[in-house]
Amino acid sequence: MSTTHHQTATTAAPAQLGIGARFSLHPHCDDFVRVILDALEEAAAGGRTDGLVLQTDEVSTYVGALEAPAEQRLTDYLAGVVAAASRHSGGGHVVAHVLLSRGCPGERTCDLTVTGLPSPEPVVVEPTGVPAVAQWSLYPLLDGGPDGGDHMVPIEAAIAAAQKRGTADGAAHYATRLTGEVAEVLATAVDAWAAVGAHVPHVVSHLTVSVGSPSLRADR
Amino acid sequence: MSTTHHQTATTAAPAQLGIGARFSLHPHCDDFVRVILDALEEAAAGGRTDGLVLQTDEVSTYVGALEAPAEQRLTDYLAGVVAAASRHSGGGHVVAHVLLSRGCPGERTCDLTVTGLPSPEPVVVEPTGVPAVAQWSLYPLLDGGPDGGDHMVPIEAAIAAAQKRGTADGAAHYATRLTGEVAEVLATAVDAWAAVGAHVPHVVSHLTVSVGSPSLRADR
């Protein structure tokens, strides 16, 4: 599994790397089915799904990035769908759970043999107007080998970057608290995940993103 | 980070290892606040939180296991709280997102120096009567060193065990589908996470557990 990813100038394509996400939307209201379907439909309109493949099942929606810039496409789509769910619920409480993954393109097995891990640019976000609070975790799935150092080093670097950005505003057991505009919160996680992915083939990140929460409103 | 965990007969205590969970409950109904509070209150009654420490914030609830049997206590509590939320929502659609973690006791840093990783017995579950479908991921945070092999090996062994148990019934990108009684689904993930934890100090698992889903009902 320790790939020789600094040897070649050829950069692996997003589809080869299995760059993508899985997310679920949880509108806390009686007409949650309408809110979810309307949000998925709105996010699918206007070219936001170009270069992505989507597949919704009974638990969540898979979003595979087929074309570069993969991270930008994923962030735009995810921020769009969460903001749309917020609007379609009338600003009610909606939680999204997001899993970001790269480096394990198979469904069950991880037969990554690509070389040339990409070093993507940070994503550029357009504000959605929806404030969010999130809990975020990052998992560099290091193995042995020359790059197989301490997995906490890239995690701590990612948290430091998020603090500098202004979105990380607290630590909790097993997660870092992020607050801000929902697109900015998602971009924080995406940029960290992509930055680790420039050195570690298989990297996963999870976020629980909350908008319109009664607790959040009480804080303001 | 490569601990020398086969050298001693002294087994680290759950609190030393940071064995615990973080979960969020998402009742898809207008009175979600009442459902969540009632479920937390019911699960806290009857001794189910003995040996656990609970802390609810605006996004999720942290459950730390202070005393053995840590895995049994966590499973009983988590199954209890999800089943209670299902009942308090009148059998409506409730999703729980669960993060299981061990081996990183700090809030932000991972200064695990313990030796003697425990090899817990599989948990024993009492049926709750609530069927569930889940998507499950397991992350052994291997580093270099003598045990720093291929992180996919323990993942594949865990999936094979879940298939044998009968809960794993399909693969999806980035996750394995589990179905069954909610306690059995949770126990599948807990047992896998604990089994990997007997060899790898830092192991995390995430599950999105869905009960009462309209899609699930349509399948039956």
Side-chain angles (χ1 to χ4, degrees):
Chain A
M1 268 298 298
S2 73
T3 55
T4 53
H5 46 72
H6 297 299
Q7 291 179 350
T8 171
T10 312
T11 299
Q16 274 178 286
L17 285 165
I19 295 180
R22 186 170 276 287
F23 73 96
S24 49
L25 288 176
H26 307 295
H28 291 64
C29 57
D30 290 349
D31 60 346
F32 64 94
V33 173
R34 179 195 57 79
V35 173
I36 294 171
L37 295 178
D38 285 357
L40 291 173
E41 190 181 319
E42 182 182 325
R48 226 186 250 277
T49 55
D50 289 355
L52 300 176
V53 57
L54 278 94
Q55 204 177 325
T56 297
D57 62 35
E58 68 201 294
V59 177
S60 62
T61 295
Y62 163 70
V63 193
L66 303 179
E67 290 167 31
E71 291 77 14
Q72 186 67 52
R73 292 179 194 278
L74 287 171
T75 308
D76 289 347
Y77 178 77
L78 292 169
V81 80
V82 177
S86 173
R87 278 193 300 277
H88 287 289
S89 75
H93 183 33
V94 178
V95 172
H97 192 81
V98 180
L99 180 173
L100 303 167
S101 184
R102 58 196 302 130
C104 208
E107 289 217 337
R108 182 168 284 174
T109 56
C110 188
D111 50 1
L112 184 68
T113 51
V114 292
T115 57
L117 292 175
S119 297
E121 292 293 309
V123 300
V124 178
V125 294
E126 284 185 41
T128 63
V130 179
V133 56
Q135 285 176 348
W136 165 52
S137 304
L138 178 65
Y139 308 119
L141 291 154
L142 286 172
D143 284 326
D147 288 346
D150 182 343
H151 70 279
M152 292 307 290
V153 173
I155 293 175
E156 284 161 19
I159 294 171
Q163 285 171 327
K164 199 171 160 195
R165 186 174 197 147
T167 40
D169 77 346
H173 285 289
Y174 318 141
T176 296
R177 187 177 186 268
L178 301 178
T179 54
E181 151 70 42
V182 69
E184 185 67 14
V185 163
L186 287 164
T188 300
V190 168
D191 282 348
W193 163 74
V196 177
H199 305 283
V200 179
H202 191 186
V203 190
V204 179
S205 187
H206 280 258
L207 289 102
T208 302
V209 183
S210 172
V211 304
S213 153
S215 328
L216 183 61
R217 287 194 294 261
D219 278 359
R220 280 156 192 272
Chain B
M1 268 300 297
S2 73
T3 54
T4 52
H5 46 71
H6 297 300
Q7 291 179 352
T8 170
T10 311
T11 300
Q16 274 178 285
L17 285 166
I19 296 180
R22 187 172 273 289
F23 73 96
S24 50
L25 288 176
H26 308 296
H28 291 65
C29 56
D30 290 348
D31 60 347
F32 64 93
V33 173
R34 179 195 58 79
V35 173
I36 294 171
L37 295 179
D38 285 357
L40 291 173
E41 189 182 319
E42 183 182 326
R48 227 186 250 275
T49 56
D50 288 355
L52 301 176
V53 56
L54 278 94
Q55 203 177 326
T56 298
D57 62 34
E58 69 202 293
V59 178
S60 62
T61 295
Y62 163 70
V63 194
L66 304 180
E67 291 167 30
E71 292 75 15
Q72 185 68 52
R73 291 180 195 277
L74 288 171
T75 308
D76 288 346
Y77 178 78
L78 292 169
V81 80
V82 177
S86 173
R87 278 192 301 276
H88 287 290
S89 75
H93 182 34
V94 178
V95 172
H97 191 80
V98 180
L99 180 173
L100 303 167
S101 184
R102 58 196 304 130
C104 207
E107 288 216 338
R108 182 169 284 172
T109 56
C110 188
D111 51 359
L112 184 68
T113 52
V114 293
T115 56
L117 293 175
S119 298
E121 291 294 307
V123 300
V124 177
V125 294
E126 283 185 42
T128 63
V130 178
V133 57
Q135 285 175 348
W136 165 53
S137 303
L138 178 65
Y139 307 119
L141 290 153
L142 285 174
D143 285 325
D147 287 346
D150 183 343
H151 69 280
M152 293 307 290
V153 173
I155 293 175
E156 284 161 18
I159 293 170
Q163 285 171 326
K164 198 171 161 195
R165 186 174 196 148
T167 39
D169 76 347
H173 286 289
Y174 318 141
T176 296
R177 187 176 186 269
L178 301 178
T179 54
E181 152 68 43
V182 70
E184 186 66 15
V185 163
L186 286 164
T188 300
V190 168
D191 282 349
W193 163 73
V196 177
H199 305 284
V200 179
H202 191 185
V203 190
V204 180
S205 186
H206 280 258
L207 289 101
T208 302
V209 183
S210 173
V211 304
S213 154
S215 328
L216 184 61
R217 285 195 294 262
D219 278 1
R220 277 156 195 276

